[in-house]
Amino acid sequence: MQKARKDSAGTKARPHQASSKRQGRREFLIKTGGILAAGAFGAVPLRGWAADPVNIGALYPTTGSMAQIGVGCVAAAKLAVEMVNDAGGIKSLGGAKLNLIVSDVQSDTTVTRTETDRLITGNKLSAIHGCYASALTLIASEVAERAKVPIITGSSSDMLNKGRTYTFTPFARASQFARAQLQMAKLVSDTPKVAVIFENTAFGTSTSNGLKELAPGEGVEIVMFEPYSAGFTDASPLINKVKSSGANALFSVSYLNDLILIVRTVKQFGLNVSINGGSGGFVIPDFYKNVGKLAEGLQGVAHWNHDVSDDAQKVNVEFKKRTGEFLFEYAGGLVAQTFMLADALERAGSADPQKVREALSTLDVSSGYAAMAPGGKVKFGPDGKNIYGHPVGVQWQDGDLASVFPKEDARKPLLKI
Amino acid sequence: MWETVAQAVINGLLIGGIYALVSIGVTLIFGVVKIVNFAQGEFVMIGMYISFFLANQFGIDPLLSLFVSMPVLFVVGVLVQHFLIRRVLGPNDMPQIFLTFALSLLLLNLALMLFSANYRTVHTSYSDEALHVGGLYIPVAKLIAFVVAMALSAALWVFLHTTDLGKAMRAASQNRDVAMLMGINPNRVFCVALGIALALAGAAGSLLMPFYSAYPFVGQVFVLMAFVAVVLGTLGNVMGALIASLMMGVAESLGVQYVGADSGLIVVFAMLLLTLAFKPTGLGGGRAR
């Protein structure tokens, strides 16, 4: 078996074919003998060789502050690889199985750099996916670009589409999220008066500035625009301020803990505003677990939701069986990404990262697991952006996250609460 | 207009009560044992996790778990003093600073390992309720926390001023050497001081649980405010720390309302700087009580 593998590797046009020619007659005889012997068994000789697994790198924070989401991502990545393998692997590579190599980036930018480097140099990777947080993905993608290994990611930072050729982003970009939020506000009220509160970090500032720029064009009035220090002890002073601004909608650009406090305080104050929590911490099962019934009717935006297609629902059911939670935005997106990689590998007929990149750049799917995305189509433009990519507006309904916007992606009506 | 101001003041007072519990613990330890306990916030965190697990596993109301978290942390405090702090008490401050700082890091990372970085919340029937008084909203959970915090502070004050042990603690905090000459057993007094301080941190944790999330870093949020309050209210002065905590809560709340939501702390620190500029010993007048 080992020999057959070796010699067919030699016959498949690979760079070191020349060197194998220089090897002795004995080697030659063994090789040809191997091929002949293999031929005697009919048309299946290459199967033993081709089952060489295809290595896919997965970079996620499974420890540190983002651990919880990172662990969920890894669970989804494993599920996706199993699904591809159970369906027969990569057929053009003789049914090669995908082999997931998980690496923990520890929610830390420095670790992300060294881990990405280590993963690429220590393994023969065909592609990478990761890393959940944009700040981490930006670094991983830099390293991957230099090593010429394609990376596919659900991270939304627009920076990922600038000057990169090995980075692919099949889902909505950060700049698109703001517009969707504003349009949703108009569906709830004819004269939306929005209070925007955001944590004074790079994430909060860039997201809220996007909202501020687009608001006039979308016919939405912003009555309060206020940064706050992340990690406060008490949300009531802030909500007191929202109350005195006379807003009827509240956009909160916050991480989970602040958002929990904000939502609870809004309810305590009996404030009648519709809340849009954006994406990130808002669209994960943990949010509902922490906020409970108060989450009902709250809106958000996501780049993926488990009800985008029947295929997505199928994966959701399986994921729920394994982890007890529904398939959340980022995890669901990366299942689709794994199938995009499988599609690219299939067409490339090679595990070579350069060829996989070529195949990804010509990816064009509109059905199956690879097309699980809002809109149901994936095709990459020259900047690595999915030209059909757009966010989906979601709303917590009966403990579940339902897609409610835009019309073509809506699975349930938007409740005006 | 007045409603907004009044609401801001109420919000500030209510959260100030929690700051008070943490800062009284810090100031008590500093006053009596003369060390700065950097791990105080982590003991608040432990109090929160105790309440969380009791609520989650046995359905015990976080307020009732006060009767568990306070004794448990009292014992922890006695043990910490007896086995750790006692060994580093000496003319050199450095080992003490390293000890409590290391304790803080250790507890923080243990919590990360054992409980993960997830946020944990407890839902009680009163978590999301609020009293509605003439246009003002008073969240029930915070009101209860405030009342209990004030009651505990009052109880501590009575203890310090009427019991022999309390008087011994005050004596030790005013002049440790003379107190020892008068026959006060320092380690016993120190153990009780640590125990009480940690029990107060545990109480803060349990009182926070109905309206705040528990996570390993949660102590750091409150300990910063506690340190400011301790300095503002004169190091070692319990009453000063209490008053300073309430003032800081109100200053922060008004700061958020009228300066900017990311400037609440600026107002607090401006207040600290001004106080130190005009009254360098703090509001307590430089006397440890």
Side-chain angles (χ1 to χ4, degrees):
Chain A
M1 181 66 80
Q2 186 60 37
K3 268 173 203 153
R5 188 180 295 176
K6 220 189 205 166
D7 72 41
S8 359
T11 52
K12 202 94 185 168
R14 285 177 66 149
H16 43 265
Q17 193 182 16
S19 70
S20 74
K21 257 183 197 162
R22 265 186 273 114
Q23 282 160 358
R25 192 172 59 172
R26 197 166 144 208
E27 187 79 357
F28 174 71
L29 280 174
I30 291 169
K31 270 183 197 169
T32 44
I35 290 174
L36 285 177
F41 291 102
V44 287
L46 291 181
R47 186 158 287 173
W49 160 75
D52 246 5
V54 176
N55 290 333
I56 305 287
L59 290 161
Y60 292 98
T62 53
T63 56
S65 58
M66 303 165 190
Q68 190 202 0
I69 291 182
V71 169
C73 287
V74 170
K78 285 184 177 157
L79 170 64
V81 161
E82 246 173 70
M83 287 170 68
V84 171
N85 289 346
D86 288 350
I90 309 300
K91 288 166 195 90
S92 71
L93 290 173
K97 302 276 191 251
L98 297 185
N99 178 34
L100 190 73
I101 304 177
V102 180
S103 177
D104 176 17
V105 295
Q106 299 176 15
S107 319
D108 184 292
T109 46
T110 319
V111 177
T112 303
R113 190 178 296 280
T114 51
E115 274 301 298
T116 313
D117 221 22
R118 199 182 61 81
L119 192 69
I120 291 175
T121 49
N123 303 281
K124 256 186 151 177
L125 297 179
S126 298
I128 299 176
H129 58 79
C131 310
Y132 174 61
S134 283
L136 305 182
T137 313
L138 278 165
I139 289 173
S141 106
E142 252 176 54
V143 179
E145 290 280 334
R146 240 179 292 137
K148 300 199 187 307
V149 175
I151 178 168
I152 187 162
T153 176
S155 296
S156 62
S157 168
D158 289 86
M159 298 278 288
L160 286 165
N161 305 102
K162 298 215 170 90
R164 285 167 159 86
T165 47
Y166 284 82
T167 306
F168 294 90
T169 59
F171 302 110
R173 315 314 302 144
S175 50
Q176 296 175 288
F177 279 75
R179 193 179 298 277
Q181 265 181 292
L182 292 165
Q183 288 169 348
M184 284 172 83
K186 270 198 307 193
L187 293 182
V188 181
S189 161
D190 297 332
T191 52
K193 289 185 180 151
V194 176
V196 180
I197 56 180
F198 54 99
E199 54 168 54
N200 54 358
T201 58
F203 156 70
T205 316
S206 61
T207 311
S208 52
N209 279 337
L211 285 167
K212 199 180 189 178
E213 275 163 32
L214 292 172
E218 295 292 336
V220 173
E221 185 191 353
I222 291 187
V223 293
M224 174 179 161
F225 191 77
E226 189 88 17
Y228 68 83
S229 348
F232 46 42
T233 52
D234 184 16
S236 21
L238 188 61
I239 299 309
N240 200 23
K241 205 164 181 179
V242 173
K243 191 181 168 193
S244 44
S245 77
N248 59 16
L250 174 64
F251 288 0
S252 176
V253 187
S254 320
Y255 279 113
L256 185 59
N257 193 41
D258 292 340
L259 191 57
I260 293 169
L261 281 177
I262 287 168
V263 170
R264 282 183 157 188
T265 311
V266 164
K267 301 289 172 177
Q268 276 169 354
F269 275 46
L271 214 54
N272 190 19
V273 294
S274 68
I275 300 177
N276 193 315
S279 68
F282 179 76
V283 291
I284 56 175
D286 221 40
F287 180 75
Y288 198 88
K289 262 198 277 172
N290 275 297
V291 181
K293 286 255 176 296
L294 292 184
E296 289 293 328
L298 264 52
Q299 306 157 34
V301 279
H303 69 239
W304 196 92
N305 197 25
H306 58 82
D307 60 5
V308 287
S309 71
D310 291 344
D311 286 329
Q313 287 287 28
K314 259 188 262 169
V315 187
N316 179 36
V317 168
E318 183 58 33
F319 189 80
K320 232 183 202 167
K321 219 189 285 167
R322 293 184 180 202
T323 66
E325 310 285 3
F326 71 76
L327 188 60
F328 60 93
E329 178 195 33
Y330 206 95
L334 80 86
V335 173
Q337 287 167 24
T338 306
F339 278 91
M340 291 171 209
L341 288 179
D343 182 282
L345 281 161
E346 198 68 72
R347 286 181 292 106
S350 160
D352 181 65
Q354 308 257 8
K355 296 202 172 106
V356 175
R357 193 215 83 89
E358 295 308 317
L360 271 176
S361 67
T362 57
L363 180 95
D364 189 356
V365 288
S366 54
S367 68
Y369 292 114
M372 294 188 296
K377 282 192 277 189
V378 182
K379 182 180 181 181
F380 293 112
D383 51 2
K385 235 185 260 185
N386 175 9
I387 56 170
Y388 304 112
H390 62 261
V392 57
V394 291
Q395 185 173 42
W396 284 103
Q397 294 183 5
D398 301 322
D400 194 17
L401 209 51
S403 299
V404 293
F405 177 87
K407 248 199 193 95
E408 60 270 27
D409 294 311
R411 301 291 177 265
K412 290 215 173 127
L414 175 70
L415 302 177
K416 297 185 185 183
I417 297 177
Chain B
M1 174 63 200
W2 74 269
E3 263 182 20
T4 310
V5 180
Q7 184 71 56
V9 171
I10 288 174
N11 293 338
L13 282 176
L14 291 181
I15 197 69
I18 296 293
Y19 295 161
L21 281 185
V22 188
S23 60
I24 287 174
V26 174
T27 211
L28 193 66
I29 295 176
F30 185 83
V32 178
V33 197
K34 297 282 181 285
I35 63 166
V36 177
N37 182 17
F38 288 104
Q40 192 75 4
E42 275 55 57
F43 293 112
V44 176
M45 179 259 294
I46 292 174
M48 291 189 81
Y49 275 108
I50 289 175
S51 290
F52 171 75
F53 282 109
L54 287 177
N56 209 31
Q57 299 295 321
F58 306 106
I60 296 172
D61 191 286
L63 293 177
L64 290 179
S65 59
L66 211 65
F67 296 105
V68 178
S69 62
M70 286 185 71
V72 167
L73 278 156
F74 183 89
V75 173
V76 171
V78 172
L79 296 177
V80 165
Q81 162 63 26
H82 192 74
F83 289 106
L84 298 174
I85 294 175
R86 188 163 63 99
R87 296 170 200 280
V88 297
L89 285 179
N92 192 348
D93 285 345
M94 271 313 183
Q96 303 159 12
I97 293 173
F98 287 143
L99 175 77
T100 60
F101 196 65
L103 198 59
S104 160
L105 286 178
L106 178 75
L107 292 172
L108 190 76
N109 285 289
L110 266 180
L112 268 175
M113 209 171 84
L114 294 175
F115 312 133
S116 80
N118 293 4
Y119 295 110
R120 320 267 187 169
T121 48
V122 171
H123 267 275
T124 59
S125 53
Y126 50 86
S127 275
D128 307 316
E129 294 298 315
L131 301 178
H132 195 171
V133 186
L136 299 176
Y137 289 86
I138 305 174
V140 174
K142 282 180 194 157
L143 182 65
I144 295 173
F146 178 80
V147 170
V148 176
M150 289 305 108
L152 287 173
S153 307
L156 176 66
W157 200 84
V158 170
F159 168 78
L160 287 177
H161 284 81
T162 59
T163 65
D164 284 348
L165 191 56
K167 285 177 184 164
M169 284 172 67
R170 283 167 58 218
S173 94
Q174 279 166 12
N175 192 324
R176 195 197 294 175
D177 299 329
V178 175
M180 277 188 234
L181 289 175
M182 297 297 125
I184 289 171
N185 174 352
N187 191 46
R188 181 156 163 263
V189 168
F190 293 175
C191 278
V192 174
L194 253 291
I196 292 176
L198 264 56
L200 289 178
S206 294
L207 291 173
L208 274 172
M209 210 53 229
F211 60 92
Y212 207 75
S213 310
Y215 56 100
F217 297 96
V218 70
Q220 317 249 309
V221 178
F222 289 92
V223 88
L224 173 72
M225 296 302 273
F227 282 137
V228 178
V230 166
V231 175
L232 191 61
T234 300
L235 283 161
N237 188 323
V238 170
M239 196 50 91
L242 171 65
I243 293 168
S245 298
L246 296 179
M247 281 174 60
M248 279 164 51
V250 174
E252 187 188 12
S253 177
L254 288 172
V256 168
Q257 182 73 35
Y258 293 107
V259 184
D262 56 350
S263 317
L265 282 178
I266 292 178
V267 177
V268 170
F269 285 109
M271 192 169 83
L272 175 70
L273 286 178
L274 284 175
T275 309
L276 292 182
F278 293 106
K279 214 161 183 285
T281 48
L283 296 170
R287 288 190 57 201
R289 282 158 204 260

